[in-house]
Amino acid sequence: MARRQFGIEETSVGMGILVNPSFQGEVANGVSIFGAESSGERKLTITGFPGDELEVANPPVGVRPETAVVTKTNDTEHSIDIIAPSTEVPMQRRLLEETDYTKFFDINSKIHDDWKARTRNPNVKLDIEWKVMEPTPGRRQQFVKQGREVPKPLDQRQQSVEDTLVLAARNSTATGFTSER
C-alpha cells in the first residue's frame, strides 16, 4: 500500500540478496517510505499489519493495513498521524506503540542520510521493509529486513541503454514479436 501511494508498481521494485535470522511471532510487519523535503521536513510513511501472516504488498480483498505518517521538521518533536487505520487492529488503537513509530523514523532517517551521502542524490526516497519483535514481554525491538531506493517513474529518469532495451523487449512481446528462431 505504501508503494502504491507513491505510484510505485510492485513489480518494478528491484531486490538484492539479504540474509537475516529467521524470527517467529512478529508483533508487526510492513513497509515504509522515507524522504526529506526541500523545506527541511522529513517524512516517513509507514504501512503495516499486526503479526506475520499478512503482507502489505498483496493484502486479501477487504483487508487493509494501517498507514501512518511520521514527520519531523528540524528539531521539532515527531508528529504521528494515522491516515488509514487497519481493519486488523481494534478500533481506536494503533498498530504500533509511539516509541516504535519514532524509532522507525530515526532508523529510516539514518539509513536515508547514509544512502543520500553515498549516492549524492539529495532527492532519494527509500523503501524499507521492517518488523517489530518482542523477545520478552515489554521489550520490543525494531528490525529492518531490507531496503532499496524507490525508482523514479520512467518518464522522470534519464534513460539508460538498459531502460531502452527493457522498453523495446516489453513492446516487442506486447506485439507478438520474439527474437527466438
Side-chain angles (χ1 to χ4, degrees):
M1 299 297 261
R3 291 181 185 123
R4 290 184 192 139
Q5 180 181 358
F6 285 91
I8 302 164
E9 180 61 39
E10 294 286 344
T11 58
S12 73
V13 178
M15 296 284 195
I17 296 175
L18 179 66
V19 178
N20 279 325
S22 176
F23 294 94
Q24 299 297 316
E26 295 174 8
V27 173
N29 78 89
V31 173
S32 61
I33 305 289
F34 187 90
E37 307 299 324
S38 58
S39 65
E41 180 181 72
R42 298 166 77 77
K43 181 165 74 172
L44 175 70
T45 302
I46 188 165
T47 301
F49 277 118
D52 55 7
E53 293 183 19
L54 296 169
E55 296 179 2
V56 298
N58 296 302
V61 174
V63 176
R64 183 181 63 229
E66 177 188 278
T67 299
V69 175
V70 184
T71 55
K72 188 174 184 179
T73 305
N74 302 323
D75 291 330
T76 62
E77 294 292 316
H78 295 89
S79 167
I80 304 167
D81 296 306
I82 307 300
I83 59 173
S86 174
T87 55
E88 307 306 296
V89 175
M91 296 285 288
Q92 307 301 316
R93 301 216 33 216
R94 293 178 174 177
L95 171 65
L96 304 173
E97 294 177 0
E98 186 169 340
T99 55
D100 294 322
Y101 294 105
T102 59
K103 283 183 181 178
F104 273 127
F105 182 95
D106 294 341
I107 291 167
N108 277 260
S109 182
K110 288 177 184 174
I111 294 169
H112 178 267
D113 290 347
D114 184 63
W115 195 291
K116 185 171 79 169
R118 290 173 189 270
T119 63
R120 294 182 178 87
N121 179 357
N123 302 316
V124 68
K125 288 198 183 312
L126 297 177
D127 173 327
I128 306 284
E129 291 185 32
W130 56 267
K131 64 180 155 188
V132 176
M133 300 296 298
E134 193 168 37
T136 57
R139 187 171 165 261
R140 293 168 78 100
Q141 291 180 296
Q142 300 76 23
F143 290 92
V144 169
K145 292 181 180 180
Q146 59 186 340
R148 64 203 138 262
E149 189 170 336
V150 173
K152 290 181 182 177
L154 200 51
D155 62 345
Q156 292 179 12
R157 14 178 180 148
Q158 199 171 17
Q159 279 193 338
S160 67
V161 172
E162 290 82 8
D163 290 334
T164 306
L165 293 173
V166 168
L167 286 173
R170 285 185 186 155
N171 290 338
S172 66
T173 17
T175 60
F177 174 80
T178 63
S179 60
E180 294 177 16
R181 293 180 191 240

